[in-house]
Amino acid sequence: MTLIPSKARALFEAEAAKRILITDGAFGTQIQTKGLVEADYAGDLGLSHEQKGNNDILALTRPDVPESIHRAYFEAGADIAETNTFSANKISQADYGAEALVGDINRQSAALARRVADEFEAKDGRPRFVAGAIGPTNKTLSLSPDVNDPGYREIDFDYLTEVYREQAAALVEGGADFILIETVFDTLNAKAGIMAVKQLEKELGREVPIMLSMTLTDLSGRNLSGHTVEAFWYAVRHAKPLTVGLNCSFGATQLRPHVKSLSQIADTYIMIYPNAGLPNELGEYDEMPDTTAGFVHEWAIAGQVNVLGGCCGSSPAHIAAMAKAVADVPPRKLPTLETKTRLAGLEPFIMAA
């Protein structure tokens, strides 16, 4: 089946050839600064569960909140808006009794981001993009939650694929250009996300570009399912993602060697958006915008990145500092790699010719 190519992918690639692009920063920690109460989250939806902390549902009950955050990031210089849908899936929304609203949340979140993106693009003619954000859920396909039963799984691959397909379909319907499968702590979960998008492409008859972003859960450079950065890339390269990268984790300083490794082996665009350092004893982030910008500037001048942004603790000020720091730095050039069979267990495996 021949799919209609994505115009957004072509436009993204044209812009990425000119400059380092900027994605936005944290949503959760920005929402926390708004001082919202239960009534803000719950609205008049009449749900049986308490909703405070359900950031995704604000698209329905207080859309002015995520809209103001999108607007602040675009004003700071962002090229990409990530939708406020990290937990807008049937599994995560079950904690709030809001499973039936998954479609509405994602459609409205994407439409909101699309509207603000188009508004800013109309002002200056610079393309703005919307990435439909899909988080890892609170389940894992690779590991058992029961230490006494290593073979037990709470969900299976087919179920998670369907959960992701429902979310991705609503995001695309709402106006997302790309599907961002982010904070990947379990590589098998990410593969379910990839499968979901591939199924959606066949249904729509057109390409839906994928962005992938892994998170490291220990300083050795592995995710929770045990994969190194290199092994993760070889496990997902078949999906031909628009971008691959790292987010969250331990902040920019700890990501440095892993950004370098990934930039050398990935024949696609690299997108990195780290936390603003590590949280303090109160769970707050103290790293100042210029400090974070200085760290990511090092990656930029080393030719290791194509897209930069922020994760937990970052703010519009962090994004503005990053945009300023890399404004005149040329983007990373995609490497031409020797053709070899590259496989992955927990470690990368390359077959000699």
Side-chain angles (χ1 to χ4, degrees):
M1 178 180 180
T2 301
L3 301 174
I4 299 172
S6 166
K7 294 180 180 178
R9 174 190 278 270
L11 186 57
F12 179 98
E13 292 177 341
E15 292 298 304
K18 304 174 189 173
R19 57 195 170 87
I20 294 174
L21 301 180
I22 303 296
T23 190
D24 58 16
F27 247 82
T29 47
Q30 285 299 293
I31 289 172
Q32 289 172 15
T33 68
K34 306 295 184 181
L36 303 181
V37 297
E38 170 64 15
D40 294 304
Y41 291 94
D44 59 1
L45 296 175
L47 296 172
S48 59
H49 293 50
E50 182 176 329
Q51 296 300 310
K52 188 173 183 181
N54 187 3
N55 292 337
D56 309 74
I57 211 165
L58 293 172
L60 304 181
T61 59
R62 284 290 306 274
D64 59 300
V65 173
E67 178 176 345
S68 69
I69 296 172
H70 283 311
R71 196 172 297 280
Y73 281 128
F74 278 130
E75 289 172 348
D79 299 287
I80 305 167
E82 299 172 24
T83 57
N84 180 38
T85 52
F86 185 81
S87 298
N89 60 76
K90 190 177 296 184
I91 293 171
S92 300
Q93 286 300 310
D95 293 342
Y96 298 99
E99 304 98 311
L101 296 176
V102 164
D104 291 338
I105 292 171
N106 284 282
R107 276 188 294 273
Q108 292 301 318
S109 292
L112 190 157
R114 178 83 272 155
R115 184 173 68 252
V116 180
D118 290 347
E119 175 188 323
F120 274 80
E121 181 173 339
K123 288 180 180 178
D124 60 15
R126 194 174 94 224
R128 302 304 201 285
F129 305 95
V130 174
I134 290 183
T137 80
N138 53 18
K139 308 296 182 184
T140 170
L141 291 174
S142 295
L143 304 171
S144 171
D146 184 354
V147 295
N148 297 313
D149 186 359
Y152 173 69
R153 300 292 185 272
E154 291 183 281
I155 58 173
D156 62 25
F157 185 89
D158 289 343
Y159 177 71
L160 184 56
T161 298
E162 174 53 32
V163 166
Y164 279 142
R165 195 206 60 76
E166 178 187 23
Q167 185 178 10
L171 287 167
V172 170
E173 184 179 345
D177 296 305
F178 319 122
I179 295 298
L180 169 61
I181 302 169
E182 66 171 340
T183 318
V184 176
F185 65 74
D186 183 339
T187 303
L188 193 55
N189 282 31
K191 287 190 171 188
I194 291 169
M195 176 65 79
V197 177
K198 294 303 180 184
Q199 290 177 353
L200 180 60
E201 286 183 325
K202 289 183 178 180
E203 292 173 16
L204 299 176
R206 63 183 177 90
E207 179 190 14
V208 179
I210 295 172
M211 298 169 134
L212 295 170
S213 188
M214 176 187 181
T215 190
L216 306 182
T217 54
D218 65 50
L219 295 178
S220 71
R222 296 177 184 271
N223 64 3
L224 192 63
S225 57
H227 296 87
T228 65
V229 171
E230 295 88 344
F232 172 74
W233 169 239
Y234 295 145
V236 299
R237 185 185 176 214
H238 66 280
K240 298 181 180 178
L242 177 63
T243 68
V244 68
L246 302 167
N247 75 289
C248 204
S249 306
F250 307 102
T253 52
Q254 301 295 343
L255 285 182
R256 182 183 291 115
H258 309 297
V259 173
K260 180 180 180 181
S261 296
L262 187 59
S263 72
Q264 293 172 338
I265 63 172
D267 50 354
T268 192
Y269 300 97
I270 300 291
M271 183 166 82
I272 311 291
Y273 50 115
N275 287 350
L278 291 170
N280 60 28
E281 61 274 10
L282 299 177
E284 298 175 345
Y285 292 82
D286 300 320
E287 188 170 282
M288 299 302 291
D290 286 343
T291 301
T292 308
F295 292 141
V296 302
H297 179 258
E298 293 178 15
W299 304 335
I301 60 175
Q304 296 171 351
V305 290
N306 302 100
V307 187
L308 287 168
C311 202
C312 303
S314 60
S315 67
H318 287 82
I319 299 307
M322 290 183 193
K324 181 180 178 181
V326 303
D328 298 320
V329 182
R332 164 183 170 268
K333 294 182 179 180
L334 274 60
T336 300
L337 303 176
E338 185 179 355
T339 300
K340 290 185 178 180
T341 299
R342 294 175 169 88
L343 307 173
L346 297 183
E347 305 278 348
F349 177 76
I350 300 174
M351 293 180 64

